[in-house]
Amino acid sequence: MEKQCCVVIIGAGIAGLSCAKYLIENDIQDFVILETNNQIGGRCQTIKLMDQSIELGTELLQGNSTNNPLYQLAEEHHLFDQSDSGFDRDDCYHDEDGESIDEDIINEIRTIYDEILEKKVPTYPYENYPDLSLGEFILTEFDQYFQLKKVALDKNEIDQREKVIDWLSKQHPILNGIGCEKLMDVSVQGWISFERLSTDEESHNVDKYIQDGFSNFLQTIFENKITTEKIHLNSKVKRITIHEANQSVSIEVIDQNHETITYQAKHVVCTQSIGCLKKTMHEMFVPPLPYSKQISIEKLGFGTINKIYLIFSQPFWDVDFNSFNFLWKSNTEWKLTCLKNTAYDSQWYKSITGFYVHHNLSNTLVTQIGGEAGKYIETIPDEILSNCFQELFCRFYPDIQIPKPNKLIRSQWFNNTSTYGSHTFIALGSTIHDIKRLALPWPNKPTEPLVLFAGEGTHERFYGTAHGAFLTGIREAKRIVELYKNNI
């Protein structure tokens, strides 16, 4: 079967939806969105739990209404969750011997860490210097800190501070959106190019939750504007063939009935994740993508961050608690007993930095795990994983009687064949120019853009974010709108 349309948008994530919305607002109605999954949202996935919403992907909006268009839209439509987010509750910090870590030490190291990231890393020169990993930069700065402190600190005090540094390196609020295994993989020069959004000074929240989940945001902002017949779910794109001579593109799709449909279009907007492009680009595009684009896709990092929710019949913790944090020794050798006589490795558990209480579900604990460990746990069954978390809690918090969770809910982004991960980052060996190169249309001619690229991995300042994805969808829609305005 063959169909004709002006624009085909691949992917109904935020980039694809914002592209479609902009086209509609500028009187271009001849388009379709092709989505592999059975729902819109891409890496925004909301599920219901006990009349509340939990997120497997995008959860928070960063910044404020002046610097984040998604924040502005949520504010205009009164979509922010106004409930308590735990800022006045207590955080607990224990090491694997069950010993409490003084919060003064946590705050001391966190202050230094913040200063390194916010003041010292940006001073690293771009030009005429070799690229350096973010991890190496941070460790060098802390080596200098210990050189100054070692006379005044005993071995136990040094060990405690090393545990805090390791803990922050795995879960610092700025760093936990990267999704790589270790900061040694992240380019300092690339990290500097990422723009972190400032928040309202009077607000305690740097980020804000959406009332009734991100699916409510998508429905309010996009679904109410884009008619259902424009969005074709369960439609997997198999091949994109570029016909430069006659200025057209063929998109071969397998639909939900396993039938092949070919769309003939003037333009295709590709919003697939960097992970998906890494996996499929050699078979997907005919002729192959320009070599420069292929290299950029290969060099860019694409990490995995998975969320895990533990649901209990009732809280085993005091209502004043906000989080239980796990601070590891650097040379720990003990292994989880629940994994003995199983085929599963124990090393992943050192990436667990603790759990926090869900902001709307008082009986639910949440954690995030990234990098290779985040990928690996996708292979472990829920029952065994629940046993692992119970054992970890008992190790770090032996004075609390900890039951096994009633239920475990989690994301599995790495084995999701429509994403193959969750976040773009600039890896060591890649640069911001790889993102810029990927964002260029193909062919790169203002009057002849056949294949256009959007998605968070194509925004040079906001890669890895929902607002970055949103802005790139509008960027590519503008190219198309301007093309037809100029031809009138």
Side-chain angles (χ1 to χ4, degrees):
M1 184 187 299
E2 189 169 294
K3 296 184 178 182
Q4 304 277 341
C5 62
C6 180
V7 182
V8 168
I9 301 169
I10 299 175
I14 287 184
L17 294 172
S18 68
C19 180
K21 181 173 177 284
Y22 191 89
L23 291 177
I24 291 170
E25 291 169 348
N26 287 272
D27 300 321
I28 295 180
Q29 301 282 347
D30 188 13
F31 70 86
V32 296
I33 304 175
L34 304 177
E35 170 55 50
T36 299
N37 297 303
N38 62 1
Q39 61 182 12
I40 68 166
R43 282 163 273 171
C44 304
Q45 285 191 17
T46 305
I47 60 176
K48 289 293 182 181
L49 177 64
M50 295 178 287
D51 298 323
Q52 294 290 340
S53 298
I54 63 172
E55 305 290 354
L56 298 183
T58 304
E59 184 165 25
L60 299 163
L61 289 182
Q62 304 163 347
N64 58 50
S65 58
T66 64
N67 58 22
N68 184 342
L70 294 182
Y71 193 112
Q72 182 180 6
L73 287 167
E75 202 169 58
E76 289 173 356
H77 290 82
H78 310 290
L79 295 175
F80 281 127
D81 190 338
Q82 303 300 324
S83 63
D84 169 44
S85 296
F87 284 95
D88 296 325
R89 298 199 292 270
D90 295 328
D91 298 303
C92 300
Y93 305 90
H94 281 203
D95 65 17
E96 62 198 83
D97 295 324
E99 297 294 326
S100 176
I101 304 295
D102 193 313
E103 199 159 348
D104 288 341
I105 296 176
I106 303 288
N107 292 334
E108 174 194 339
I109 299 301
R110 194 196 300 273
T111 299
I112 296 168
Y113 216 109
D114 288 344
E115 184 176 329
I116 292 171
L117 285 173
E118 295 169 12
K119 295 181 180 179
K120 295 189 176 182
V121 171
T123 65
Y124 188 80
Y126 273 96
E127 304 298 333
N128 303 319
Y129 273 73
D131 198 6
L132 184 73
S133 79
L134 185 60
E136 187 178 352
F137 189 102
I138 291 170
L139 288 179
T140 299
E141 292 292 328
F142 272 112
D143 283 344
Q144 295 176 12
Y145 160 80
F146 281 121
Q147 287 297 319
L148 295 172
K149 284 280 192 176
K150 66 180 181 181
V151 176
L153 300 175
D154 61 28
K155 184 179 184 302
N156 181 59
E157 290 172 322
I158 290 174
D159 286 347
Q160 285 192 324
R161 283 160 175 79
E162 287 179 342
K163 292 172 190 174
V164 177
I165 292 168
D166 174 75
W167 174 76
L168 279 170
S169 295
K170 295 172 184 173
Q171 68 81 60
H172 190 283
I174 292 178
L175 300 175
N176 66 8
I178 295 177
C180 64
E181 173 66 10
K182 51 191 181 298
L183 297 183
M184 293 296 180
D185 295 336
V186 182
S187 160
V188 163
Q189 294 182 10
W191 175 255
I192 293 169
S193 71
F194 181 82
E195 184 177 331
R196 280 151 288 281
L197 300 180
S198 60
T199 185
D200 296 322
E201 290 185 6
E202 67 273 13
S203 172
H204 292 292
N205 292 358
V206 174
D207 308 320
K208 284 198 172 184
Y209 295 98
I210 298 294
Q211 181 70 38
D212 296 327
F214 230 88
S215 62
N216 181 37
F217 179 91
L218 297 177
Q219 181 175 358
T220 303
I221 304 302
F222 299 113
E223 279 193 279
N224 293 341
K225 305 283 173 60
I226 306 168
T227 55
T228 54
E229 63 266 20
K230 295 289 187 186
I231 304 174
H232 297 188
L233 302 175
N234 300 304
S235 298
K236 184 173 182 178
V237 176
K238 182 178 179 181
R239 188 167 291 107
I240 300 168
T241 303
I242 292 87
H243 309 287
E244 198 167 347
N246 63 3
Q247 290 293 288
S248 67
V249 187
S250 301
I251 302 95
E252 189 177 326
V253 179
I254 308 298
D255 71 5
Q256 59 186 348
N257 299 317
H258 306 292
E259 295 180 353
T260 299
I261 301 174
T262 301
Y263 290 86
Q264 301 293 344
K266 295 179 179 179
H267 316 279
V268 58
V269 182
C270 298
T271 74
Q272 300 100 311
S273 73
I274 298 295
C276 193
L277 290 174
K278 284 176 181 286
K279 283 277 188 180
T280 65
M281 65 177 173
H282 296 298
E283 296 78 30
M284 177 76 70
F285 295 94
V286 179
L289 286 175
Y291 184 68
S292 60
K293 278 191 185 292
Q294 293 184 41
I295 293 299
S296 291
I297 291 168
E298 289 172 359
K299 287 164 63 179
L300 285 168
F302 194 69
T304 297
I305 296 178
N306 277 318
K307 290 181 182 176
I308 302 166
Y309 295 84
L310 304 183
I311 299 96
F312 298 87
S313 56
Q314 60 185 19
F316 62 80
W317 54 90
D318 190 273
V319 291
D320 292 331
F321 284 136
N322 179 57
S323 68
F324 299 88
N325 297 285
F326 301 172
L327 282 74
W328 295 90
K329 297 176 183 176
S330 59
N331 58 349
T332 187
E333 293 183 357
W334 69 271
K335 296 184 178 181
L336 291 165
T337 57
C338 64
L339 291 181
K340 288 181 180 178
N341 303 318
T342 74
Y344 301 105
D345 186 86
S346 287
Q347 291 306 303
W348 61 267
Y349 64 78
K350 296 177 187 176
S351 294
I352 298 292
T353 60
F355 287 81
Y356 60 91
V357 181
H358 189 273
H359 66 288
N360 276 337
L361 293 164
S362 61
N363 66 333
T364 301
L365 295 177
V366 191
T367 192
Q368 293 187 155
I369 181 169
E372 294 304 312
K375 298 174 186 177
Y376 184 76
I377 65 162
E378 293 187 16
T379 67
I380 303 176
D382 288 358
E383 178 73 14
I384 295 177
L385 206 53
S386 293
N387 293 335
C388 292
F389 292 135
Q390 183 184 25
E391 186 176 340
L392 281 173
F393 259 109
C394 291
R395 176 84 186 209
F396 281 83
Y397 293 87
D399 295 334
I400 303 176
Q401 189 158 358
I402 298 161
K404 186 176 176 180
N406 289 10
K407 189 175 184 180
L408 182 148
I409 298 174
R410 54 171 161 164
S411 61
Q412 293 180 300
W413 291 113
F414 181 67
N415 285 301
N416 184 322
T417 56
S418 64
T419 58
Y420 295 104
S422 58
H423 292 68
T424 301
F425 66 95
I426 297 181
L428 194 63
S430 62
T431 72
I432 190 173
H433 297 292
D434 291 306
I435 288 181
K436 290 179 177 179
R437 197 173 293 120
L438 177 58
L440 294 173
W442 174 37
N444 186 19
K445 300 175 183 177
T447 59
E448 302 173 4
L450 299 178
V451 185
L452 304 93
F453 295 87
E456 51 85 17
T458 70
H459 199 293
E460 63 196 65
R461 292 182 295 119
F462 299 137
Y463 52 86
T465 68
H467 54 279
F470 178 83
L471 290 169
T472 62
I474 292 174
R475 181 192 67 204
E476 298 312 310
K478 280 183 177 179
R479 287 191 208 273
I480 296 169
V481 169
E482 289 301 313
L483 179 66
Y484 287 95
K485 279 185 178 179
N486 292 336
N487 286 344
I488 292 174

